[in-house]
């Protein structure tokens, strides 16, 4: 149904829901050594620290709610064939009502077995050293850490290749391979970037329109515009 819209979202999408971004001033990485809290090596060295870092994120997400940007994106589905490719591990797109969401970097409300990676469980409470899967192995967050494979990348790349319109919202595009996805779009594909501090401009993509606003403000206006164009 309708044209295909692919939406690449990052931490800025959820900033207006009170969840911190990673690289902004006062961002999540400010107080943490990234490799200590988000790498297999860091987990092996200090599992308590890593599990507590994600416990905090999980607790915070329990009380967060989708913002006007998330809600607006869900409305696009009445007029377009929409897929959201998110780097976010929160479930705010789901809770806002979007139906096709690819979580490139995993999901905070899931955990998996360290002994059987295919054993993935829904999980909303804390995990600690000693929290075991039904087969008796330690649980870990279902998150793609630095240095780990991004299993959903090929799927996301092929969907992006077929996009008629590409939206990019709230990502610094610093982290690969996710940032490279925008290059899969066919040359000439209309692109929109919503970010108060955009890292791309027309020099990068002649068909790019930059909306230098926060997601909760810029996305509803853009969505209304796209819906008008769909009819
Ligand atoms: N609305 C929209 N965008 C915003 C807002 C807002 N209210 N506030 C900040 N931003 C923008 C920033 O200007 C920046 O460009 O969101 C972007 C956040 O960038 P990062 O913190 O680098 O987050 P992201 O791009 O999602 O990081 C990618 O890095 O650490 C890893 O796995 C983690 O998925 C994450 C990946």
């Amino acid at each position: 149904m309708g044209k295909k819209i692919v939406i690449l979202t990052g931490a800025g999408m959820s900033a207006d829901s009170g969840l911190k971004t990673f690289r902004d001033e006062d961002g999540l990485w400010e107080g943490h050594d990234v490799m200590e809290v988000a790498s297999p090596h860091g987990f092996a060295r200090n599992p308590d620290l890593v599990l507590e870092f994600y416990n905090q994120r999980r607790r915070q997400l329990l009380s967060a709610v989708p913002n006007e940007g998330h809600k607006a994106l869900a409305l696009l589905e009445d007029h377009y064939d929409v897929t959201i490719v998110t780097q976010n591990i929160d479930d705010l797109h789901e809770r806002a009502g979007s139906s096709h969401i690819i979580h490139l970097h995993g999901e905070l409300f899931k955990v998996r077995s360290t002994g059987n990676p295919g054993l993935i469980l829904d999980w909303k409470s804390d995990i600690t050293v000693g929290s075991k899967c039904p087969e008796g192995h330690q649980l870990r967050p279902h998150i793609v850490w630095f240095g780990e494979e991004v299993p959903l990348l090929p799927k996301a790349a092929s969907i992006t290749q077929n996009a008629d319109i590409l939206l990019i919202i709230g990502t610094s595009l610093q982290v690969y391979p996710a940032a490279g996805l925008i290059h899969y779009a066919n040359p000439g594909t209309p692109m929109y970037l919503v970010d108060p501090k955009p890292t791309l401009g027309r020099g990068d993509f002649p068909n790019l329109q930059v909306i230098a606003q926060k997601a909760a403000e810029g996305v509803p206006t853009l969505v209304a515009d796209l819906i008008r164009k769909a009819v």
Side-chain angles (χ1 to χ4, degrees), residues 68 93 213:
E68 295 307 314
H93 286 303
Q213 292 177 14

Side-chain angles (χ1 to χ4, degrees), residues 23-88:
R23 291 171 188 78
D24 283 297
E25 208 177 299
D26 194 33
L28 272 174
W29 290 158
E30 192 102 314
H32 292 97
D33 178 336
V34 183
M35 291 303 160
E36 292 302 317
V37 296
S39 75
H41 178 70
F43 184 53
R45 262 196 15 184
N46 193 346
D48 291 302
L49 175 78
V50 174
L51 294 179
E52 185 49 26
F53 176 77
Y54 288 99
N55 287 342
Q56 281 177 17
R57 310 275 78 73
R58 210 176 291 112
R59 285 182 220 138
Q60 215 169 47
L61 180 54
L62 281 170
S63 57
V65 293
N67 63 56
E68 295 307 314
H70 295 106
K71 292 182 200 167
L73 292 182
L75 301 177
L76 279 174
E77 292 190 8
D78 291 337
H79 308 270
Y80 291 92
D81 174 351
V82 182
T83 306
I84 296 179
V85 178
T86 188
Q87 297 164 85
N88 297 344

Side-chain angles (χ1 to χ4, degrees), residues 41 46 54 68 91 120 130-131 148 188 212 225:
H41 178 70
N46 193 346
Y54 288 99
E68 295 307 314
D91 66 342
I120 299 162
S131 302
E148 293 188 315
D225 196 35

Side-chain angles (χ1 to χ4, degrees), residues 9-16 20-24 27-29 34 38 86-89 105 143-144 146 169-175 178 194-199 213-216:
T9 65
M13 182 79 231
S14 299
D16 296 324
K20 281 186 180 183
T21 61
F22 294 95
R23 291 171 188 78
D24 283 297
L28 272 174
W29 290 158
V34 183
T86 188
Q87 297 164 85
N88 297 344
I89 57 175
H105 293 165
I143 305 288
V144 174
F146 286 98
I169 305 167
T171 171
S172 63
L173 295 168
Q174 300 298 302
V175 172
V194 183
D195 194 307
K197 288 185 189 157
T199 56
Q213 292 177 14
K214 292 180 168 190

Side-chain angles (χ1 to χ4, degrees), residues 43 51 111-119 131-133 136-141 145:
F43 184 53
L51 294 179
V111 297
R112 70 172 183 262
S113 167
T114 51
N116 177 0
L119 181 48
S131 302
K132 302 271 170 69
C133 77
H137 306 289
Q138 174 65 41
L139 290 171
R140 60 161 276 181
W145 284 328

